[in-house]
Amino acid sequence: MVQLKPAGTSAKGRIGAQDIYAALKEHIARGVFGETGQLPSSRGLAQELGVSRTTVMIAFEQLHAEGFIELRQGARPRVVRAAVGGPDQVKRTRDPRQVRLSAYGARLRGFSPWSAEAPGKVLVDFRHGDLASADFPSAAWRKAVAEAAARRPDRLTYGDPRGSVRLRRALQGYLWRARTIRCELDQIIVVNGSQQGLDLCARVLLDPGDRFVIENPCYDMARQIFAGAGASAVPVPVDRSGMETGGLAQLDARLAYVTPSHQFPLGGVMPVARRHQLLDWARQFDAHVVEDDYDSEFRYDINPVPPLFGLTEGGNVIYCGTVSKTLAPGLRLGYLVVPAELQAVFATAKLLCDRHTPLLQQDALASLIESGAYEVHLRRIRRLNHERRATLLNALRHRLGDKVDVEGADAGLHVVAWLNGIPRSAETALLEGARAMGLGIHAISPLYAADATESLPDRAGLVMGYSALQTGDIERGVHLLADLLERFSGGLS
Ligand SMILES: Cc1ncc(COP(=O)(O)O)c(C=O)c1O
C-alpha cells in the first residue's frame, strides 16, 4: 500500500504523477520497500490509487531518470540500493518519563529494556538459551507442518483458548510417559512459551502488594513478570539441592516460583523431602507453587525425580513446560498443567490475552509427538548435549584445573563455572576482556537479588550454556577463557 499525503494530491482532488513520484521517493528513502526493494507493479498501483497506468508510468520514469529505481521489461521496478536510506527512526515528541502510564507500565519502566545484542565479532558464545540449528529436526518438522496444513479445513475459525484437543491429547500422553504426570485434557493450557504461562500465573494469582517466593539466584524473566504484576519478591537462598525450603515455615506469600528439576541457574535437583516441605508450605498458606520444568528432558548421571505436580495430584501446583529447549525457542510453544479448580479461570485469562496459540503450530507439534518423531528427536539431542557437556567439563578440567569449580552439571544445558581467585567486582571487566577476544561469556551475579547481600557470591561466576555449540567450538571457547583468566590473574596479582 502506497500512502499518499493528503496535501500531496492536486488542487482538483485528483492524484497526479507528481504526487505518486513524491510519495514513492519518500518511501524509497525510508526503506519501506524492504530487503527486495520491489515496488508495486504499475498495474497494481494504478488500480490501488484509481489512476491510469500512464500516470503511474510517468512517476516511475521520473524516478528512473533520477537513478532511484531500475525499470525492467515485464518485471516490477526495483529500488537502486545506493539510493535507499535507513528505515525511519521513530521520532520522539516527548521525554518518555513524562508520559502518564498505568501502574503496570510505570513499574516496567524501571526494568531494563530489551535490546538487540551489540554488534561485534563473537567467535564462541556460551550464552544460555540458544540451540544449535543443526539440532533442529527440520525434515520431521516440515513433514509435521505439511500434514497439519493439509488436515485442518477449519483454520478460518478461532480455536479453543486452552489449545487444540489434538495437541492437548498428545501432550497428555507425553507428560505421562516422560514425567509421570497424570492429568485431564482440560487441565492443559497450551501457551506461547513458558513466558506466557508465567504471565498467566501472575495475572490469575497475584495482586499488587502480594508477596511471592523466588529462588535466589533465579530465572530473572520470571522474577520480572511477578514483580511487574506489582508483587514483591521474597528471595530464598539456594544450595546444591535447590531452594532451601526449611526457611519457608513462617513465610506468608501467595505464590512460589521454583525450578526443582534443575535449579536455574545453579543446577541443583531438589530432593523429595524438600519438595514435600514446599508443598506443605503451599497448603498451609493456601498459596500456589509454580513449577518451571524448563529443561528436564536433559538428565545425565542422575535418576529422575517426579515433578511436584505429580506429588500432589495437582493440588496447589501449576506445572509449566516448554519446547524452547527441545525444539526451538522461536516456536513459542509451551504448556501449563493447572489444578482442576483453576482450569476455567486460566482458559479465560488465555482467551483475553491472545485468544489462543496459532493453530498450525499446535497441530504440527501434535503431529510430531503422535508420530513418535518428537521422542526420537529427544533421544538424539540428549546424546548430542551429553557429548557437549562432557567436552565442556573435560576442557574446563584440563585447561583450568582448580581455577574453576563447576556446579550444576547433572542435568540441563548449562553449567555454572565459579572462577577461583577472581572477585565478583571484576566480572564486568572480565566480560569486556572476553568480548574483545571474540568470546561470549555471561556473569551469574545479575541473577542474584541485589538486596539479599548475604547470598551474593564473593567470586566471579559464569553461566555457561553449551547447547548451541559444536564440540570443537566448546574446546576453542575454553581455550580462550583460559587465556583470558591467565591475563586477568596476572593483572590482579
Ligand atoms: C528457567 C527457565 N524457564 C523457562 C525458559 C524458557 O522460556 P520460554 O518457554 O518462554 O522460551 C528458560 C529459557 O532459557 C529458562 O531458563
Side-chain angles (χ1 to χ4, degrees), residues 180-413:
T180 62
I181 288 181
R182 260 190 204 286
C183 64
E184 299 297 326
L185 270 196
D186 290 347
Q187 289 177 263
I188 300 178
I189 314 269
V190 177
V191 287
N192 302 333
S194 320
Q195 197 64 18
Q196 186 180 45
L198 300 178
D199 184 59
L200 295 181
C201 290
R203 286 165 192 261
V204 167
L205 299 170
L206 289 175
D207 276 320
D210 283 347
R211 300 205 297 172
F212 66 96
V213 168
I214 190 149
E215 299 158 328
N216 187 25
C218 72
Y219 180 46
D220 201 48
M221 294 289 271
R223 186 195 61 78
Q224 291 193 41
I225 286 185
F226 303 131
S232 13
V234 183
V236 173
V238 163
D239 63 16
R240 286 182 182 254
S241 303
M243 181 189 268
E244 292 179 18
T245 47
L248 290 178
Q250 304 307 321
L251 214 159
D252 191 358
R254 307 293 326 123
L255 178 151
Y257 166 84
V258 281
T259 48
S261 304
H262 187 229
Q263 200 276 330
F264 188 84
L266 292 181
V269 179
M270 189 186 274
V272 172
R274 281 196 184 180
R275 291 176 188 238
H276 281 294
Q277 224 161 15
L278 182 59
L279 296 172
D280 289 346
W281 166 82
R283 271 189 291 269
Q284 183 191 346
F285 289 99
D286 193 20
H288 283 91
V289 177
V290 178
E291 174 176 29
D292 184 354
D293 205 27
Y294 65 108
D295 68 0
S296 64
E297 288 81 2
F298 303 95
R299 208 179 316 104
Y300 308 110
D301 307 323
I302 47 166
N303 292 325
V305 182
L308 287 166
F309 190 91
L311 292 179
T312 58
E313 289 170 350
N316 288 36
V317 176
I318 293 145
Y319 176 89
C320 186
T322 178
V323 303
S324 288
K325 305 284 167 206
T326 55
L327 284 174
L331 285 176
R332 309 311 304 139
L333 279 171
Y335 39 92
L336 294 179
V337 187
V338 303
E341 62 278 11
L342 290 181
Q343 298 163 23
V345 68
F346 267 88
T348 308
K350 170 71 181 165
L351 173 75
L352 295 181
C353 223
D354 63 356
R355 292 262 188 184
H356 57 74
T357 294
L359 296 177
L360 184 67
Q361 237 133 292
Q362 290 194 50
D363 279 359
L365 178 59
S367 167
L368 205 69
I369 299 174
E370 281 166 6
S371 69
Y374 185 62
E375 278 151 271
V376 169
H377 164 69
L378 284 185
R379 284 196 287 279
R380 176 172 157 262
I381 53 168
R382 213 173 269 139
R383 187 170 38 74
L384 291 172
N385 283 306
H386 192 266
E387 269 168 41
R388 292 180 176 120
R389 165 186 169 270
T391 305
L392 177 60
L393 296 181
N394 275 335
L396 287 172
R397 198 168 36 246
H398 286 127
R399 297 283 318 179
L400 289 161
D402 57 10
K403 290 197 187 112
V404 292
D405 288 332
V406 175
E407 191 171 347
D410 290 337
L413 299 173

